[in-house]
mmCIF file of all heavy atoms in Angstrom:
data_model
loop_
_atom_site.group_PDB
_atom_site.id
_atom_site.type_symbol
_atom_site.label_atom_id
_atom_site.label_comp_id
_atom_site.label_asym_id
_atom_site.label_seq_id
_atom_site.Cartn_x
_atom_site.Cartn_y
_atom_site.Cartn_z
ATOM 1 N N LEU A 55 118.021 85.902 126.658
ATOM 2 C CA LEU A 55 116.621 85.640 126.867
ATOM 3 C C LEU A 55 115.807 86.798 126.282
ATOM 4 O O LEU A 55 116.121 87.959 126.544
ATOM 5 C CB LEU A 55 116.369 85.519 128.365
ATOM 6 C CG LEU A 55 115.398 84.457 128.844
ATOM 7 C CD1 LEU A 55 115.831 83.079 128.391
ATOM 8 C CD2 LEU A 55 115.327 84.487 130.355
ATOM 9 N N VAL A 57 112.035 88.392 126.218
ATOM 10 C CA VAL A 57 110.807 88.298 127.018
ATOM 11 C C VAL A 57 109.782 89.313 126.527
ATOM 12 O O VAL A 57 110.123 90.382 126.061
ATOM 13 C CB VAL A 57 111.091 88.516 128.509
ATOM 14 C CG1 VAL A 57 112.010 87.444 129.028
ATOM 15 C CG2 VAL A 57 111.649 89.889 128.782
ATOM 16 N N THR B 19 117.693 101.780 131.566
ATOM 17 C CA THR B 19 117.923 100.524 132.285
ATOM 18 C C THR B 19 119.409 100.431 132.640
ATOM 19 O O THR B 19 120.233 101.134 132.064
ATOM 20 C CB THR B 19 117.517 99.321 131.416
ATOM 21 O OG1 THR B 19 118.230 99.406 130.175
ATOM 22 C CG2 THR B 19 116.019 99.327 131.145
ATOM 23 N N ARG B 20 119.711 99.542 133.585
ATOM 24 C CA ARG B 20 121.093 99.467 134.077
ATOM 25 C C ARG B 20 121.753 98.127 133.769
ATOM 26 O O ARG B 20 122.969 98.041 133.704
ATOM 27 C CB ARG B 20 121.097 99.724 135.582
ATOM 28 C CG ARG B 20 120.921 101.200 135.938
ATOM 29 C CD ARG B 20 120.242 101.386 137.271
ATOM 30 N NE ARG B 20 118.863 100.875 137.209
ATOM 31 C CZ ARG B 20 117.939 101.090 138.164
ATOM 32 N NH1 ARG B 20 118.248 101.781 139.232
ATOM 33 N NH2 ARG B 20 116.733 100.595 138.054
ATOM 34 N N HIS B 21 120.960 97.091 133.600
ATOM 35 C CA HIS B 21 121.590 95.769 133.346
ATOM 36 C C HIS B 21 120.733 94.977 132.359
ATOM 37 O O HIS B 21 120.421 93.816 132.584
ATOM 38 C CB HIS B 21 121.767 94.992 134.670
ATOM 39 C CG HIS B 21 120.559 95.015 135.580
ATOM 40 N ND1 HIS B 21 120.471 95.852 136.663
ATOM 41 C CD2 HIS B 21 119.421 94.336 135.561
ATOM 42 C CE1 HIS B 21 119.302 95.646 137.282
ATOM 43 N NE2 HIS B 21 118.656 94.720 136.622
ATOM 44 N N THR B 22 120.427 95.657 131.244
ATOM 45 C CA THR B 22 119.501 95.080 130.250
ATOM 46 C C THR B 22 120.060 95.337 128.866
ATOM 47 O O THR B 22 120.523 96.438 128.581
ATOM 48 C CB THR B 22 118.126 95.726 130.405
ATOM 49 O OG1 THR B 22 117.642 95.477 131.729
ATOM 50 C CG2 THR B 22 117.137 95.222 129.392
ATOM 51 N N GLU B 23 119.982 94.324 127.970
ATOM 52 C CA GLU B 23 120.483 94.521 126.622
ATOM 53 C C GLU B 23 119.572 95.386 125.780
ATOM 54 O O GLU B 23 120.025 96.228 125.018
ATOM 55 C CB GLU B 23 120.627 93.154 125.926
ATOM 56 C CG GLU B 23 121.631 92.209 126.571
ATOM 57 C CD GLU B 23 123.018 92.810 126.648
ATOM 58 O OE1 GLU B 23 123.513 93.249 125.613
ATOM 59 O OE2 GLU B 23 123.578 92.848 127.772
ATOM 60 N N ALA B 31 111.864 92.316 125.036
ATOM 61 C CA ALA B 31 113.100 92.831 125.653
ATOM 62 C C ALA B 31 114.149 91.742 125.608
ATOM 63 O O ALA B 31 113.837 90.546 125.494
ATOM 64 C CB ALA B 31 112.814 93.248 127.085
ATOM 65 N N ILE B 32 115.417 92.139 125.733
ATOM 66 C CA ILE B 32 116.501 91.195 125.717
ATOM 67 C C ILE B 32 117.320 91.331 126.997
ATOM 68 O O ILE B 32 117.758 92.419 127.321
ATOM 69 C CB ILE B 32 117.424 91.388 124.487
ATOM 70 C CG1 ILE B 32 116.606 91.345 123.187
ATOM 71 C CG2 ILE B 32 118.537 90.339 124.470
ATOM 72 C CD1 ILE B 32 117.429 91.656 121.941
ATOM 73 N N ILE B 33 117.460 90.240 127.704
ATOM 74 C CA ILE B 33 118.311 90.216 128.901
ATOM 75 C C ILE B 33 119.355 89.124 128.764
ATOM 76 O O ILE B 33 119.168 88.158 128.034
ATOM 77 C CB ILE B 33 117.488 90.040 130.192
ATOM 78 C CG1 ILE B 33 116.757 88.676 130.183
ATOM 79 C CG2 ILE B 33 116.506 91.170 130.382
ATOM 80 C CD1 ILE B 33 115.989 88.392 131.461
ATOM 81 N N ARG B 34 120.467 89.331 129.475
ATOM 82 C CA ARG B 34 121.570 88.367 129.417
ATOM 83 C C ARG B 34 121.743 87.829 130.812
ATOM 84 O O ARG B 34 122.378 88.465 131.652
ATOM 85 C CB ARG B 34 122.827 89.056 128.905
ATOM 86 C CG ARG B 34 123.894 88.133 128.425
ATOM 87 C CD ARG B 34 125.007 88.898 127.697
ATOM 88 N NE ARG B 34 124.578 89.365 126.384
ATOM 89 C CZ ARG B 34 125.413 90.010 125.558
ATOM 90 N NH1 ARG B 34 126.644 90.311 125.917
ATOM 91 N NH2 ARG B 34 124.963 90.389 124.367
ATOM 92 N N PRO B 35 121.176 86.662 131.125
ATOM 93 C CA PRO B 35 121.293 86.117 132.477
ATOM 94 C C PRO B 35 122.754 85.922 132.876
ATOM 95 O O PRO B 35 123.586 85.615 132.031
ATOM 96 C CB PRO B 35 120.552 84.778 132.397
ATOM 97 C CG PRO B 35 119.656 84.897 131.221
ATOM 98 C CD PRO B 35 120.390 85.781 130.232
ATOM 99 N N THR B 36 123.037 86.152 134.135
ATOM 100 C CA THR B 36 124.388 85.981 134.648
ATOM 101 C C THR B 36 124.775 84.494 134.590
ATOM 102 O O THR B 36 124.027 83.648 135.054
ATOM 103 C CB THR B 36 124.465 86.470 136.103
ATOM 104 O OG1 THR B 36 123.907 87.778 136.173
ATOM 105 C CG2 THR B 36 125.882 86.498 136.601
ATOM 106 N N LEU B 41 117.184 81.472 136.744
ATOM 107 C CA LEU B 41 116.219 82.566 136.700
ATOM 108 C C LEU B 41 114.960 82.114 137.423
ATOM 109 O O LEU B 41 114.449 81.034 137.177
ATOM 110 C CB LEU B 41 115.926 82.889 135.246
ATOM 111 C CG LEU B 41 115.774 84.321 134.844
ATOM 112 C CD1 LEU B 41 117.017 85.132 135.177
ATOM 113 C CD2 LEU B 41 115.490 84.426 133.365
ATOM 114 N N VAL B 42 114.496 82.968 138.328
ATOM 115 C CA VAL B 42 113.246 82.714 139.007
ATOM 116 C C VAL B 42 112.220 83.718 138.466
ATOM 117 O O VAL B 42 112.509 84.905 138.384
ATOM 118 C CB VAL B 42 113.384 82.889 140.535
ATOM 119 C CG1 VAL B 42 112.058 82.593 141.224
ATOM 120 C CG2 VAL B 42 114.484 82.004 141.076
ATOM 121 N N SER B 44 107.976 85.003 138.104
ATOM 122 C CA SER B 44 106.681 84.966 138.730
ATOM 123 C C SER B 44 105.789 86.058 138.133
ATOM 124 O O SER B 44 106.301 87.074 137.666
ATOM 125 C CB SER B 44 106.853 85.201 140.258
ATOM 126 O OG SER B 44 105.607 85.234 140.871
ATOM 127 N N LEU B 68 104.183 96.362 141.925
ATOM 128 C CA LEU B 68 105.514 95.773 141.775
ATOM 129 C C LEU B 68 105.948 95.058 143.053
ATOM 130 O O LEU B 68 106.523 93.966 143.022
ATOM 131 C CB LEU B 68 106.530 96.844 141.387
ATOM 132 C CG LEU B 68 107.960 96.304 141.110
ATOM 133 C CD1 LEU B 68 107.948 95.169 140.076
ATOM 134 C CD2 LEU B 68 108.858 97.428 140.615
ATOM 135 N N MET B 75 109.969 87.054 144.775
ATOM 136 C CA MET B 75 111.400 86.837 144.642
ATOM 137 C C MET B 75 112.036 86.629 146.022
ATOM 138 O O MET B 75 112.868 85.752 146.214
ATOM 139 C CB MET B 75 112.082 88.018 143.927
ATOM 140 C CG MET B 75 111.638 88.246 142.494
ATOM 141 S SD MET B 75 112.062 86.891 141.366
ATOM 142 C CE MET B 75 110.487 86.053 141.278
ATOM 143 N N GLN B 81 117.396 87.353 143.899
ATOM 144 C CA GLN B 81 117.658 88.800 143.744
ATOM 145 C C GLN B 81 116.814 89.311 142.606
ATOM 146 O O GLN B 81 117.028 88.941 141.458
ATOM 147 C CB GLN B 81 119.136 89.023 143.427
ATOM 148 C CG GLN B 81 119.548 90.460 143.196
ATOM 149 C CD GLN B 81 119.498 91.284 144.472
ATOM 150 O OE1 GLN B 81 120.124 90.935 145.477
ATOM 151 N NE2 GLN B 81 118.717 92.350 144.454
ATOM 152 N N PRO B 82 115.822 90.188 142.873
ATOM 153 C CA PRO B 82 114.996 90.684 141.756
ATOM 154 C C PRO B 82 115.822 91.556 140.813
ATOM 155 O O PRO B 82 116.676 92.308 141.239
ATOM 156 C CB PRO B 82 113.925 91.532 142.475
ATOM 157 C CG PRO B 82 114.435 91.794 143.846
ATOM 158 C CD PRO B 82 115.409 90.704 144.190
ATOM 159 N N ARG B 83 115.585 91.383 139.510
ATOM 160 C CA ARG B 83 116.431 92.066 138.499
ATOM 161 C C ARG B 83 115.644 92.783 137.429
ATOM 162 O O ARG B 83 116.003 93.862 137.005
ATOM 163 C CB ARG B 83 117.334 91.034 137.844
ATOM 164 C CG ARG B 83 118.291 90.340 138.790
ATOM 165 C CD ARG B 83 119.646 90.979 138.833
ATOM 166 N NE ARG B 83 120.383 90.704 137.612
ATOM 167 C CZ ARG B 83 121.428 91.473 137.207
ATOM 168 N NH1 ARG B 83 121.799 92.500 137.908
ATOM 169 N NH2 ARG B 83 122.073 91.165 136.087
ATOM 170 N N TRP B 84 114.557 92.155 136.926
ATOM 171 C CA TRP B 84 113.838 92.739 135.803
ATOM 172 C C TRP B 84 112.343 92.605 136.014
ATOM 173 O O TRP B 84 111.887 91.656 136.670
ATOM 174 C CB TRP B 84 114.191 92.014 134.483
ATOM 175 C CG TRP B 84 115.638 92.043 134.104
ATOM 176 C CD1 TRP B 84 116.285 93.076 133.493
ATOM 177 C CD2 TRP B 84 116.616 91.028 134.280
ATOM 178 N NE1 TRP B 84 117.608 92.727 133.268
ATOM 179 C CE2 TRP B 84 117.834 91.490 133.753
ATOM 180 C CE3 TRP B 84 116.596 89.734 134.838
ATOM 181 C CZ2 TRP B 84 119.012 90.731 133.739
ATOM 182 C CZ3 TRP B 84 117.756 88.967 134.837
ATOM 183 C CH2 TRP B 84 118.942 89.464 134.304
ATOM 184 N N ALA B 85 111.572 93.501 135.434
ATOM 185 C CA ALA B 85 110.106 93.386 135.534
ATOM 186 C C ALA B 85 109.441 93.868 134.251
ATOM 187 O O ALA B 85 109.962 94.734 133.520
ATOM 188 C CB ALA B 85 109.574 94.193 136.707
ATOM 189 N N LEU B 86 108.280 93.295 133.966
ATOM 190 C CA LEU B 86 107.404 93.700 132.885
ATOM 191 C C LEU B 86 106.096 94.149 133.478
ATOM 192 O O LEU B 86 105.607 93.555 134.438
ATOM 193 C CB LEU B 86 107.104 92.521 131.936
ATOM 194 C CG LEU B 86 108.266 91.831 131.248
ATOM 195 C CD1 LEU B 86 107.782 90.492 130.670
ATOM 196 C CD2 LEU B 86 108.808 92.704 130.124
ATOM 197 N N TYR B 113 114.510 98.532 144.737
ATOM 198 C CA TYR B 113 114.971 97.153 144.732
ATOM 199 C C TYR B 113 115.907 96.843 143.550
ATOM 200 O O TYR B 113 116.207 95.680 143.305
ATOM 201 C CB TYR B 113 113.779 96.186 144.725
ATOM 202 C CG TYR B 113 113.049 96.203 146.073
ATOM 203 C CD1 TYR B 113 111.970 97.031 146.286
ATOM 204 C CD2 TYR B 113 113.473 95.393 147.129
ATOM 205 C CE1 TYR B 113 111.308 97.099 147.523
ATOM 206 C CE2 TYR B 113 112.838 95.449 148.362
ATOM 207 C CZ TYR B 113 111.755 96.300 148.548
ATOM 208 O OH TYR B 113 111.132 96.335 149.758
ATOM 209 N N GLY B 114 116.364 97.882 142.853
ATOM 210 C CA GLY B 114 117.349 97.660 141.786
ATOM 211 C C GLY B 114 116.830 96.907 140.589
ATOM 212 O O GLY B 114 117.557 96.126 139.977
ATOM 213 N N ILE B 115 115.575 97.159 140.227
ATOM 214 C CA ILE B 115 114.934 96.406 139.160
ATOM 215 C C ILE B 115 114.848 97.249 137.884
ATOM 216 O O ILE B 115 114.443 98.424 137.928
ATOM 217 C CB ILE B 115 113.494 96.017 139.600
ATOM 218 C CG1 ILE B 115 113.579 95.007 140.755
ATOM 219 C CG2 ILE B 115 112.692 95.450 138.440
ATOM 220 C CD1 ILE B 115 112.289 94.820 141.482
ATOM 221 N N ASP B 116 115.236 96.683 136.757
ATOM 222 C CA ASP B 116 115.018 97.316 135.455
ATOM 223 C C ASP B 116 113.625 96.965 134.959
ATOM 224 O O ASP B 116 113.266 95.777 134.909
ATOM 225 C CB ASP B 116 116.027 96.796 134.441
ATOM 226 C CG ASP B 116 117.355 97.563 134.474
ATOM 227 O OD1 ASP B 116 117.495 98.522 135.258
ATOM 228 O OD2 ASP B 116 118.270 97.192 133.698
ATOM 229 N N VAL B 117 112.847 97.980 134.577
ATOM 230 C CA VAL B 117 111.534 97.743 133.955
ATOM 231 C C VAL B 117 111.790 97.674 132.455
ATOM 232 O O VAL B 117 112.217 98.656 131.837
ATOM 233 C CB VAL B 117 110.548 98.835 134.307
ATOM 234 C CG1 VAL B 117 109.194 98.607 133.638
ATOM 235 C CG2 VAL B 117 110.385 98.952 135.814
ATOM 236 N N ILE B 118 111.575 96.504 131.859
ATOM 237 C CA ILE B 118 112.107 96.266 130.516
ATOM 238 C C ILE B 118 111.038 96.116 129.451
ATOM 239 O O ILE B 118 111.368 95.963 128.289
ATOM 240 C CB ILE B 118 113.007 95.021 130.489
ATOM 241 C CG1 ILE B 118 112.263 93.780 130.972
ATOM 242 C CG2 ILE B 118 114.244 95.256 131.367
ATOM 243 C CD1 ILE B 118 113.043 92.501 130.845
ATOM 244 N N VAL B 131 101.967 92.171 136.535
ATOM 245 C CA VAL B 131 103.402 92.378 136.581
ATOM 246 C C VAL B 131 104.104 91.019 136.546
ATOM 247 O O VAL B 131 103.665 90.072 137.223
ATOM 248 C CB VAL B 131 103.807 93.147 137.858
ATOM 249 C CG1 VAL B 131 105.326 93.252 137.942
ATOM 250 C CG2 VAL B 131 103.161 94.514 137.857
ATOM 251 N N THR B 132 105.125 90.920 135.750
ATOM 252 C CA THR B 132 105.972 89.722 135.724
ATOM 253 C C THR B 132 107.350 90.139 136.158
ATOM 254 O O THR B 132 107.857 91.179 135.741
ATOM 255 C CB THR B 132 105.998 89.112 134.324
ATOM 256 O OG1 THR B 132 104.666 88.831 133.903
ATOM 257 C CG2 THR B 132 106.803 87.815 134.317
ATOM 258 N N ILE B 133 107.926 89.334 137.016
ATOM 259 C CA ILE B 133 109.242 89.676 137.577
ATOM 260 C C ILE B 133 110.211 88.535 137.368
ATOM 261 O O ILE B 133 109.816 87.374 137.290
ATOM 262 C CB ILE B 133 109.082 90.070 139.063
ATOM 263 C CG1 ILE B 133 110.342 90.757 139.584
ATOM 264 C CG2 ILE B 133 108.715 88.849 139.917
ATOM 265 C CD1 ILE B 133 110.137 91.489 140.898
ATOM 266 N N PHE B 134 111.491 88.902 137.242
ATOM 267 C CA PHE B 134 112.551 87.925 137.053
ATOM 268 C C PHE B 134 113.640 88.207 138.065
ATOM 269 O O PHE B 134 114.088 89.351 138.208
ATOM 270 C CB PHE B 134 113.219 88.084 135.677
ATOM 271 C CG PHE B 134 112.285 88.206 134.536
ATOM 272 C CD1 PHE B 134 111.511 89.354 134.369
ATOM 273 C CD2 PHE B 134 112.168 87.205 133.621
ATOM 274 C CE1 PHE B 134 110.641 89.463 133.295
ATOM 275 C CE2 PHE B 134 111.283 87.309 132.547
ATOM 276 C CZ PHE B 134 110.525 88.436 132.407
ATOM 277 N N GLY B 135 114.056 87.165 138.760
ATOM 278 C CA GLY B 135 115.170 87.309 139.670
ATOM 279 C C GLY B 135 116.223 86.247 139.389
ATOM 280 O O GLY B 135 115.991 85.321 138.618
ATOM 281 N N GLU B 136 117.373 86.421 140.010
ATOM 282 C CA GLU B 136 118.457 85.458 139.808
ATOM 283 C C GLU B 136 118.844 84.831 141.136
ATOM 284 O O GLU B 136 118.798 85.456 142.196
ATOM 285 C CB GLU B 136 119.667 86.129 139.191
ATOM 286 C CG GLU B 136 119.455 86.497 137.731
ATOM 287 C CD GLU B 136 120.712 86.983 137.066
ATOM 288 O OE1 GLU B 136 121.493 87.740 137.699
ATOM 289 O OE2 GLU B 136 120.947 86.635 135.891
#
Side-chain angles (χ1 to χ4, degrees):
Chain A
L55 219 57
V57 298
Chain B
T19 55
R20 285 151 295 191
H21 46 259
T22 300
E23 298 302 307
I32 304 175
I33 61 177
R34 197 169 287 182
T36 309
L41 219 57
V42 181
S44 177
L68 183 54
M75 296 296 100
Q81 177 71 55
R83 298 265 288 159
W84 300 280
L86 301 166
Y113 290 93
I115 294 166
D116 275 357
V117 180
I118 58 174
V131 175
T132 303
I133 194 163
F134 313 70
E136 288 189 320

